[in-house]
């Protein structure tokens, strides 16, 4: 079994295309939404009255502890049960798959990010809360002007790390047939039976994108936290 | 409610079959992952440079490329070289190596977190490296690493759903079948699926939590969730 370098180089183009068009889009859109949702969950878990807070906490726990592929299938099943494909006849199937994918990834990872935000919020010294109370700032202003800016410093690196984790989970989109990079690689490999080449290229693209980002996050962490 | 019970009892043999696959993958994956993380973690702090660099490369490789890509390598590429692992073994090895690499970062971090004085005192007692690790450093690091490993265990349980991609009939598969074939409605089918995964993950996590309490009590430490979350996020990146 030889490594066909020529074929490997040929597959770089299409795989990179799929990477840019799907993998990257899902990760970026997913992490932006997830970081906003995560903040909402984290603040909600401190502000909401107990009867709302407890079910929210439980739901977040269940989302955190159940697999992404199952959640992706669930999202598609809901979409079909609402007769979604017929309601949006102009949108093609791949775009719908991607939108569902972004939604599921965002919700799933927002539960992790909520934990990171919580860690950041807990790291703020009680004196800050007391000072805000002493100034009789309205609650919303306390969060916006005092707590969140300080909490974010400790939280940001962790958020970045979850975004990298999300990036590495994008191949799960395979189960809902979104043509992301690994799906594309599998298809190309299946057509030629040269799996070694395509998966090597796919793996290298992942490595090339995620390793520098991880190093960057580590640097950012040193700068922000210590 | 009766619909729910009916559906569950009708499909319970299949769900049990799926749950067995999920449990086997979780259990097998966890064992492989633990072995890999301890080995790589120890290599990462060993005084021998070759071992340190080697472990660094392996860890970055497995963390940088996605789990699915690694699994496909085991499933599609290895047979071309004459190594034909059955799907279940592919899953166990793939999950074990991937989460083992994450775990080794947790192990390394915890070993490094043990106070420097402890190392110095082992030198003062003229202990060998292996004896110092075995008798002094490891017992203290163990309590620190359990929370991180616990989070990874939950992620591993969720990771078992990749089995679907290499044609194993795990819990996710049977939930999907139940949704399609039986007239149970999607909320019930997926509700059961989410609940079962939740219970498996919760079971594993509470087991480890017990171990952690025991270890930390012996060290006189209090568990901290804050530190854990951040440590896991770091390891995963």
């Amino acid at each position: 079994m030889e490594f066909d370098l020529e074929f490997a180089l040929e597959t770089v183009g299409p795989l990179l295309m799929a990477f840019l068009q799907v993998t990257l889009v899902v990760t970026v859109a997913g992490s932006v939404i997830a970081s906003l949702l995560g903040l909402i969950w984290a603040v909600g878990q401190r502000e909401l009255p107990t009867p709302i807070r407890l079910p929210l906490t439980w739901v977040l726990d269940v989302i955190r502890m159940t697999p992404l592929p199952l959640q992706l299938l669930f999202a598609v099943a809901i979409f079909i049960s609402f007769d979604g494909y017929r309601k949006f006849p102009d949108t093609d199937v791949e775009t719908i798959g991607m939108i569902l994918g972004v939604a599921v990834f965002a919700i799933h990872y927002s539960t992790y990010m909520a934990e990171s935000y919580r860690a950041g919020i807990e790291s703020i010294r009680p004196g800050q809360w007391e000072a805000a109370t002493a100034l009789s700032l309205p609650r919303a202003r306390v969060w916006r002007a005092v707590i969140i800016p300080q909490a974010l410093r400790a939280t940001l690196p962790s958020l970045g790390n979850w975004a990298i984790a999300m990036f590495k989970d994008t191949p799960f989109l395979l189960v809902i047939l979104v043509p992301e990079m690994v799906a594309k690689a599998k298809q190309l490999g299946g057509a030629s039976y040269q799996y070694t080449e395509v998966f090597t290229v796919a793996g290298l693209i992942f490595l090339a994108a995620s390793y520098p980002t991880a190093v960057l996050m580590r640097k950012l962490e040193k700068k922000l936290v210590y | 409610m009766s619909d729910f019970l009916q559906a569950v009892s009708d499909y319970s043999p299949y769900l049990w079959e799926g749950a067995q696959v999920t449990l086997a993958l979780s259990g097998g994956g966890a064992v492989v992952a633990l072995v890999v993380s301890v080995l790589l973690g120890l290599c990462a702090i060993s005084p021998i440079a070759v071992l340190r660099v080697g472990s660094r490369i392996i860890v970055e490789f497995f963390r940088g490329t996605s789990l699915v890509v690694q699994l496909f390598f085991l499933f599609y590429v290895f047979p071309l070289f004459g190594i034909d692992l059955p799907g279940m073994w592919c899953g166990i090895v793939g999950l074990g190596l991937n989460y083992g690499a994450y775990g080794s970062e947790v192990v390394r971090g915890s070993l490094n977190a043990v106070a420097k004085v402890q190392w110095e005192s082992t030198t003062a007692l003229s202990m060998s490296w292996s004896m110092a690790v075995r008798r002094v450093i490891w017992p203290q690091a163990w309590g620190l690493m359990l929370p991180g490993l616990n989070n990874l265990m939950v992620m591993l349980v969720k990771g078992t759903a990749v089995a679907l991609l290499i044609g194993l009939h795990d819990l996710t598969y049977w939930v999907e079948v139940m949704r399609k074939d039986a007239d149970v409605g999607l909320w019930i089918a997926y509700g059961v699926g989410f609940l079962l995964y939740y219970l498996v993950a919760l079971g594993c996590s509470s087991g480890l939590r017990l171990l952690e309490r025991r270890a930390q009590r012996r060290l006189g430490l209090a568990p901290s969730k804050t530190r854990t979350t951040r440590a896991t996020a770091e390891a995963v990146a």
Side-chain angles (χ1 to χ4, degrees), chain A residues 116-117 120-121 123-124 146-156:
Chain A
S116 297
Y117 277 115
I121 293 169
S123 74
I124 288 170
V146 182
I147 305 301
I148 290 174
Q150 296 186 73
L152 227 48
R153 221 168 79 101
T155 313
L156 266 180

Side-chain angles (χ1 to χ4, degrees), chain B residues 141-208:
Chain B
W142 178 239
L144 295 174
M145 71 180 73
L146 276 171
L149 294 182
N150 193 344
N151 277 351
L152 283 179
M153 184 67 211
V154 173
M155 295 184 89
L156 192 146
V157 170
K158 292 188 316 170
T160 58
V162 290
L164 196 68
L165 294 174
I166 53 169
L168 290 179
H169 294 178
D170 71 333
L171 209 47
T172 307
Y173 174 84
W174 286 112
V175 166
E176 188 63 10
V177 168
M178 185 163 127
R179 202 262 308 166
K180 276 185 186 144
D181 292 0
D183 200 17
V184 293
L186 93 161
W187 288 98
I188 291 176
Y190 283 103
V192 171
F194 287 136
L195 192 69
L196 287 176
Y197 269 109
Y198 181 62
L199 290 179
V200 173
L202 205 64
C204 293
S205 159
S206 345
L208 282 172

Side-chain angles (χ1 to χ4, degrees), chain A residues 7-226:
Chain A
F7 178 70
L9 289 175
E10 264 172 43
T11 59
V12 172
L15 289 186
L16 214 55
M17 248 353 239
F19 174 78
L20 293 173
Q21 283 175 347
V22 184
T23 311
L24 218 54
V25 173
V26 170
T27 315
V28 171
S31 34
V32 169
I33 303 172
S35 56
L36 292 175
L37 276 180
L39 183 62
I40 295 174
W41 306 146
V43 174
Q45 284 191 322
R46 276 184 164 250
E47 291 294 319
L48 293 172
T50 316
I52 308 174
R53 201 188 65 227
L54 287 182
L56 176 71
T57 311
W58 193 74
V59 168
L60 293 183
D61 260 354
V62 171
I63 294 176
R64 205 184 357 248
M65 285 183 160
T66 51
L68 261 175
L70 191 62
Q71 291 172 6
L72 286 167
L73 290 171
F74 179 56
V76 171
I78 289 183
F79 189 73
I80 292 171
S81 81
F82 283 131
D83 218 0
Y85 287 115
R86 211 166 314 151
K87 275 183 193 149
F88 302 97
D90 300 332
T91 326
D92 58 307
V93 178
E94 288 165 11
T95 316
I96 290 176
M98 259 179 76
I99 294 171
L100 290 176
V102 168
V104 171
F105 272 72
I107 292 175
H108 187 87
Y109 273 93
S110 73
T111 62
Y112 283 100
M113 290 186 177
E115 288 284 294
S116 297
Y117 277 115
R118 213 183 52 158
I121 293 169
E122 275 171 16
S123 74
I124 288 170
R125 271 164 286 128
Q128 298 290 320
W129 288 99
E130 286 156 18
T133 316
L135 292 167
S136 74
L137 292 178
R139 197 70 175 164
R141 184 112 185 265
V142 175
W143 279 109
R144 210 180 54 238
V146 182
I147 305 301
I148 290 174
Q150 296 186 73
L152 227 48
R153 221 168 79 101
T155 313
L156 266 180
S158 195
L159 291 190
N161 288 340
W162 288 124
I164 300 172
M166 183 190 300
F167 167 71
K168 280 180 287 199
D169 271 353
T170 46
F172 280 140
L173 289 169
L174 254 175
V175 299
I176 58 167
L177 304 176
V178 172
E180 50 72 60
M181 183 174 61
V182 178
K184 191 88 192 162
K186 201 174 160 224
Q187 185 198 331
L188 287 172
S192 60
Y193 215 65
Q194 287 176 302
Y195 284 115
T196 323
E197 287 81 0
V198 282
F199 288 138
T200 307
V201 171
L204 286 177
I205 294 179
F206 259 108
L207 199 60
S210 83
Y211 185 63
T213 324
V215 172
L216 219 71
M217 291 320 297
R218 233 170 287 157
K219 284 221 173 103
L220 181 71
E221 191 147 353
K222 286 224 171 81
K223 214 167 163 187
L224 285 179
V225 178
Y226 302 114

